[in-house]
Structures are given as structure tokens and as C-alpha cells.
């Protein structure tokens, strides 16, 4: 019963989050920009945040515990959203070597993954969800038969599963192609720089051979130079 309702709530808030981000980014950038990780019009991070709040409220009610004060809801929303956003950013970058948002230019940001203004925005959103949307959803849900929720949840799971499969497949394919191109560039540039090295003076060779621990802004550049240095050291 609760699972099917949560699935419907999840997709609803994921869609609302997609609408919010798409409208905001389209207006800000003055061009259409569809947001989200998946192909479909959803931002799952909003859905996860919303149903997490719903779950906390339901658990408190089920155990006959006192409701949270507004400031407690605000703190949970603030820190909870920061943890969720940061961990999601790290996970996506680890899996696909890409990022879907960057707060580097925002004040008080941490590695561009989270920032104070965004966390405050999510805090206000959490208050709105708990005190406005949650009562509204519960009221509307009371008029909807449980069978409708179960059928809807089943269809949603199928659609989301297909969407995730297609998205991950597409991203993996792109990543493999980029990696292949990157390797080709590495080989070409290594040969080119080695040829350049053979034609340099002894002074230049000495300087180049002492280079250690080079780190560049692009991993490709680091690979090229470290590969060259290693070959130089062996000669």
C-alpha cells in the first residue's frame, strides 16, 4: 500500500522538479534546456527528497510521536538536501565521468557540488512540501482507490526501468567512444612529443627529464606527459 503510493509520489515530484529546473534554466540561459539525468522529463533527486520527507512524517505518525517543529523540518531539509545532492554528484561523476550541475561560480560552494544558496532553496522547498504539498497529497489520495495506485506504480516502474536502461546504455556507449578517441589522441601526441624530444637540445632534455608529478587540468594531458617522462627515465 505505502510502496505504491510512494512510487506515485516519487514520479510526481520528480516531474515537478524537472519542470522547475527546466523552466529556471531556460529563462536563465535564454534557450531551451531540458534538465535531468534520464531521457524522460524527471529529476529523480527531487522525488527521492520528497518521499524521504513523506517517510519521516509517516514514521512519526505511525509511532505516535510528536510532529517536528518547523525549524527542525528546515534543518533536516537543509542538511539532508546537501548530503543527497553531494553524494548524487559524486556517484554520477564516478560512474559516467560527467556532472549534471556545477555550483563553482556560486558563493560558499563545496567543489561545485553543493552551495549555500541552493541548500537554502531546498530548505524552503522542504518546508513547502511538508506544510503545503504533503497535506494536499494526503487529501487527494483519500479519494483515489488503492488499485489505481498499484496499477500506476507498476506502469511507472516499467517506464523508469526502461528509461534508466536506455540512459545508462547511451552514456556508456558515449564514454567508450570518447575513451577510444582519447587513446588515439594519446598515442598520436606521445609519438609527436617523442619526436620533438629527439630534436631538442641537451639542456631541454635535462629539464624535461626532471619533471615529476605533473598534474594538468585535463587527464589526457597528464597521461601524455607522464607516459613521455617514464620513457625518458628508462633511456
Amino acid at each position: 500500500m505505502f510502496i505504491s503510493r510512494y512510487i506515485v509520489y516519487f514520479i510526481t515530484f520528480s516531474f515537478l522538479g524537472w519542470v522547475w529546473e527546466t523552466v529556471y534554466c531556460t529563462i536563465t540561459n535564454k534557450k531551451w534546456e531540458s534538465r535531468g539525468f534520464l531521457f524522460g522529463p524527471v529529476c529523480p533527486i527531487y522525488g527521492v527528497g520528497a518521499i524521504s520527507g513523506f517517510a519521516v512524517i509517516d514514521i512519526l505518525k505511525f509511532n505516535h510521536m510528536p510532529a517536528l517543529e518547523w525549524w527542525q523540518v528546515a534543518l533536516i531539509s537543509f542538511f539532508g538536501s546537501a548530503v543527497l545532492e553531494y553524494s548524487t554528484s559524486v556517484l554520477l561523476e564516478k560512474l559516467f565521468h560527467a556532472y549534471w550541475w556545477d555550483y563553482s561560480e556560486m558563493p560558499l560552494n563545496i567543489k561545485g557540488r553543493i552551495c549555500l544558496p541552493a541548500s537554502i532553496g531546498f530548505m524552503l522547498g522542504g518546508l513547502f512540501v511538508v506544510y503545503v504539498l504533503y497535506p494536499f497529497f494526503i487529501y487527494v489520495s483519500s479519494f483515489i482507490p488503492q488499485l489505481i495506485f498499484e496499477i500506476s506504480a507498476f506502469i511507472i516502474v516499467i517506464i523508469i526501468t526502461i528509461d534508466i536502461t536506455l540512459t545508462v546504455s547511451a552514456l556508456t556507449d558515449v564514454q567508450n567512444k570518447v575513451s577510444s578517441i582519447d587513446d588515439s589522441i594519446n598515442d598520436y601526441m606521445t609519438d609527436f612529443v617523442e619526436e620533438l624530444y629527439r630534436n631538442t637540445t641537451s639542456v631541454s632534455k635535462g629539464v624535461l627529464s626532471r619533471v615529476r608529478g605533473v598534474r594538468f587540468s585535463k587527464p589526457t594531458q597528464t597521461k601524455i606527459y607522464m607516459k613521455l617522462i617514464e620513457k625518458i627515465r628508462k633511456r
Side-chain angles (χ1 to χ4, degrees):
M1 178 179 179
F2 284 107
I3 295 178
S4 61
R5 289 175 182 265
Y6 279 178
I7 291 174
V8 173
Y9 295 158
F10 165 79
I11 200 66
T12 301
F13 279 97
S14 296
F15 173 71
L16 293 176
W18 176 86
V19 171
W20 155 250
E21 287 212 0
T22 298
V23 170
Y24 175 80
C25 291
T26 298
I27 294 176
T28 302
N29 299 325
K30 297 180 180 179
K31 63 178 182 179
W32 171 257
E33 185 172 337
S34 178
R35 301 292 294 173
F37 164 68
L38 301 176
F39 284 129
V42 289
C43 286
I45 192 170
Y46 287 90
V48 173
I51 63 173
S52 297
F54 281 23
V56 171
I57 297 174
D58 289 338
I59 290 173
L60 293 176
K61 287 183 176 180
F62 181 79
N63 291 285
H64 304 289
M65 299 174 65
L68 297 173
E69 299 290 338
W70 72 267
W71 59 270
Q72 293 175 313
V73 174
L75 288 177
I76 292 174
S77 299
F78 181 88
F79 289 106
S81 64
V83 171
L84 178 61
E85 196 170 27
Y86 191 94
S87 59
T88 301
S89 175
V90 171
L91 179 62
L92 291 176
E93 186 172 342
K94 290 289 185 182
L95 291 175
F96 305 109
H97 306 289
Y99 56 91
W100 275 257
W101 63 86
D102 184 8
Y103 296 131
S104 298
E105 298 182 359
M106 299 293 288
L108 300 175
N109 72 85
I110 299 179
K111 296 182 178 180
R113 303 185 190 279
I114 59 175
C115 67
L116 182 61
S119 295
I120 292 176
F122 285 122
M123 178 189 70
L124 297 176
L127 291 170
F128 181 72
V129 168
V130 171
Y131 293 110
V132 178
L133 294 183
Y134 178 80
F136 173 75
F137 271 65
I138 296 300
Y139 174 76
V140 173
S141 297
S142 64
F143 296 99
I144 302 176
Q146 180 60 28
L147 180 61
I148 299 298
F149 276 104
E150 293 177 354
I151 294 175
S152 300
F154 179 74
I155 296 173
I156 290 169
V157 169
I158 293 176
I159 294 175
I160 288 295
T161 301
I162 294 174
D163 197 345
I164 292 175
T165 302
L166 292 175
T167 301
V168 172
S169 176
L171 288 173
T172 302
D173 183 56
V174 170
Q175 184 178 337
N176 290 337
K177 289 181 179 178
V178 171
S179 179
S180 176
I181 294 173
D182 187 56
D183 290 340
S184 298
I185 293 176
N186 279 347
D187 293 337
Y188 174 80
M189 289 301 295
T190 299
D191 293 339
F192 172 77
V193 177
E194 280 189 313
E195 180 65 27
L196 183 63
Y197 168 77
R198 283 193 290 269
N199 293 301
T200 56
T201 63
S202 58
V203 175
S204 298
K205 293 178 182 179
V207 172
L208 186 57
S209 64
R210 290 195 298 270
V211 177
R212 296 290 185 275
V214 180
R215 291 185 181 275
F216 298 90
S217 59
K218 294 182 179 180
T220 300
Q221 295 175 337
T222 301
K223 290 180 182 178
I224 294 171
Y225 279 88
M226 293 308 295
K227 187 182 295 184
L228 173 62
I229 292 168
E230 186 63 28
K231 290 186 176 181
I232 292 172
R233 292 174 62 187
K234 292 180 179 178
R235 293 184 179 181

